[in-house]
Amino acid sequence: MAKISINKTTVKRMVLNVFYPLLALAIVLAVWAIAAKAYDNKLVLPAPDTVLVALFSLGKSGGFWQSVGTTLLRTLICFVWSFALALLFATLAGLFNPLHRVLAPIVTILRAAPTVTVILLLYAFMANVTLAKVVGFLIAFPIMYSAFYGAIVGVDKDLLKMAKLYKVRPIDRIRFIYLPSIANCLFDTNKATLSLTLKVIIASEILTNVSLSIGGKFQAAYAAPEINYLFAWTLIAIIFSFVLEAVVAILKKIWEVARCRT
């Protein structure tokens, strides 16, 4: 009986996890449709159905997948570098506090600097493609560093003292103490930062007019002007943001299952 109850609870949770996003989507589409009907200007606010037609036609257009793939690859490269360096410096700062004192004001400045200002300041010094990656890194790195550093210094000190007392190997301390303690922070921060990095990369591509990219397609649709396609590319950016977040969520679930089995 307990097994049946668990299964029913699981099914109910899965249904609700699908129902509420669909309900939210329906509300957004309804509000959008009403606003488009009331405003009655397709050049400013096209109706959802015309945007959806444009969205499905994008897959058949030349350079669509190349543009999407280029932007996603640029985002992933930027994200991987940001993650690796943030984790490295956060670990070193956790072990050597003076390093954190040096990095903390730099990280604060990077987090406070407006994205557009950063793009404009760097525009004269580097190529457009490089600029998009650098700006993405400068936005993602400080967020990750702050979160990772907080998680590392927040590891249970009693567990660390016990590990030191019983002469637990460093590799085992990392595996059984540090990783379980900071894993949730790593996944949750990565989930939010990955989609943010995509948005920043696209914004950089738009402002610097990078060809064969999602940002470049935004720029072309705006210049035409083809508002339907501008909205359609916006939906593309939103969809892939959700996809990237879903990938991280799946990896987190795999980690939790694997941890339970060990």
Side-chain angles (χ1 to χ4, degrees), residues 32-160:
W32 180 2
I34 292 170
K37 185 71 174 178
Y39 200 77
D40 196 23
N41 189 338
K42 295 181 180 180
L43 295 178
V44 176
L45 185 61
D49 57 338
T50 59
V51 172
L52 290 176
V53 170
L55 175 66
F56 288 114
S57 68
L58 285 178
K60 302 176 184 178
S61 61
F64 171 78
W65 289 110
Q66 187 176 359
S67 298
V68 170
T70 301
T71 296
L72 290 179
L73 179 61
R74 191 173 292 131
T75 300
L76 292 176
I77 291 173
C78 175
F79 173 81
V80 169
W81 275 104
S82 301
F83 173 81
L85 291 177
L87 185 58
L88 173 63
F89 280 106
T91 303
L92 294 176
L95 298 173
F96 187 60
N97 186 256
L99 177 60
H100 175 66
R101 290 177 176 270
V102 173
L103 290 175
I106 298 174
V107 167
T108 300
I109 292 172
L110 290 176
R111 292 184 66 174
T115 304
V116 175
T117 302
V118 175
I119 295 172
L120 295 177
L121 288 175
L122 296 178
Y123 185 66
F125 299 98
M126 56 188 65
N128 295 356
V129 174
T130 305
L131 173 64
K133 295 177 184 176
V134 171
V135 172
F137 172 82
L138 293 177
I139 298 300
F141 172 81
I143 297 173
M144 290 184 174
Y145 171 83
S146 298
F148 296 169
Y149 175 78
I152 289 171
V153 298
V155 173
D156 192 332
K157 299 297 187 295
D158 291 334
L159 285 177
L160 295 176

Side-chain angles (χ1 to χ4, degrees), residues 155-172:
V155 173
D156 192 332
K157 299 297 187 295
D158 291 334
L159 285 177
L160 295 176
K161 288 179 182 178
M162 188 179 297
K164 186 177 181 180
L165 178 64
Y166 287 98
K167 298 180 180 180
V168 177
R169 294 182 305 168
I171 187 66
D172 288 332

